[in-house]
Amino acid sequence: MEMTTGLERKYAALGAEISVVDGQVIEGYASLFGTADQGGDVVQAGAYAASLASIAAQGRRIKMLWQHDPAQPIGIWDEVREDARGLFVKGRILDTVARGREAIALLGAGALDGLSIGYRTRRAQKDDGGRRLLTELELWEVSLVTFPMLPSARVAAKGEDPGAEIWREMAAGLRALRLDRRGD
């Protein structure tokens, strides 16, 4: 099934994580193959191949953004590639950019610890369980984010805080409260 939807965002799949190599260099998996996310999507091996080849042929790079905001690039992805596990990324956060300095500080403190991809679906199909199998994606960007969709999409260097679930629930409650107040 061909799909030409608008730009989508997907938080790192179950088990994906990023590591802080030094204060500015980060690496890890922005997407894992064969794992259903909370939205029921499963990225298939090879889904990024055509997009990555096209970007390389044009001499372009995948953008590193802050919270999916196209007005706030914060670094450079030096390496973006598929391997047997998923979409591996390695890059540098720029400390010459104000938001980059903030991201470095937040990563170091453990306050920022998620990855998320921005993409357009080119081809997908539904399986018998109703999950969307993503077979071709046009990758636009990989962002550092505060709240990844899945609990294990965290920076590995800091480890998982046993109390993190409480903070995620509190954040979800605050978002719900904000939405309720907008309706008043």
Side-chain angles (χ1 to χ4, degrees):
M1 165 166 117
E2 294 291 323
M3 302 184 82
T4 54
T5 61
L7 191 62
E8 299 176 64
R9 296 181 179 116
K10 180 160 307 306
Y11 295 94
L14 186 62
E17 56 191 30
I18 58 175
S19 297
V20 179
V21 176
D22 66 32
Q24 295 171 251
V25 176
I26 59 173
E27 65 180 28
Y29 285 87
S31 175
L32 293 177
F33 297 138
T35 304
D37 67 15
Q38 290 182 348
D41 289 345
V42 180
V43 178
Q44 302 295 294
Y48 301 102
S51 179
L52 294 176
S54 175
I55 289 165
Q58 296 172 28
R60 295 185 300 120
R61 292 181 181 211
I62 299 299
K63 305 300 183 199
M64 181 190 293
L65 301 180
W66 172 260
Q67 310 281 358
H68 294 295
D69 186 344
Q72 296 190 61
I74 60 168
I76 297 168
W77 292 116
D78 295 311
E79 184 177 354
V80 179
R81 63 175 164 78
E82 282 188 329
D83 63 18
R85 186 173 181 207
L87 184 69
F88 176 83
V89 295
K90 182 176 182 179
R92 296 169 281 133
I93 301 173
L94 301 177
D95 64 0
T96 54
V97 175
R99 187 64 79 186
R101 287 190 298 277
E102 291 177 31
I104 291 166
L106 292 167
L107 277 165
L112 178 71
D113 58 3
L115 279 178
S116 180
I117 61 172
Y119 66 96
R120 187 174 317 248
T121 301
R122 291 295 179 205
R123 287 196 332 230
Q125 60 189 28
K126 295 276 186 176
D127 69 5
D128 293 338
R131 298 181 307 174
R132 193 168 65 144
L133 305 177
L134 305 175
T135 56
E136 185 178 344
L137 300 176
E138 179 184 341
L139 184 64
W140 283 49
E141 53 94 2
V142 177
S143 286
L144 292 174
V145 296
T146 307
F147 294 108
M149 182 183 278
L150 299 172
S152 59
R154 300 284 174 204
V155 175
K158 290 294 177 185
E160 183 65 24
D161 176 2
E165 185 61 31
I166 295 167
W167 289 108
R168 283 189 285 279
E169 288 175 13
M170 187 169 69
L174 289 171
R175 282 191 301 271
L177 179 63
R178 187 177 72 231
L179 292 173
D180 284 347
R181 293 191 75 185
R182 286 183 184 164
D184 290 341

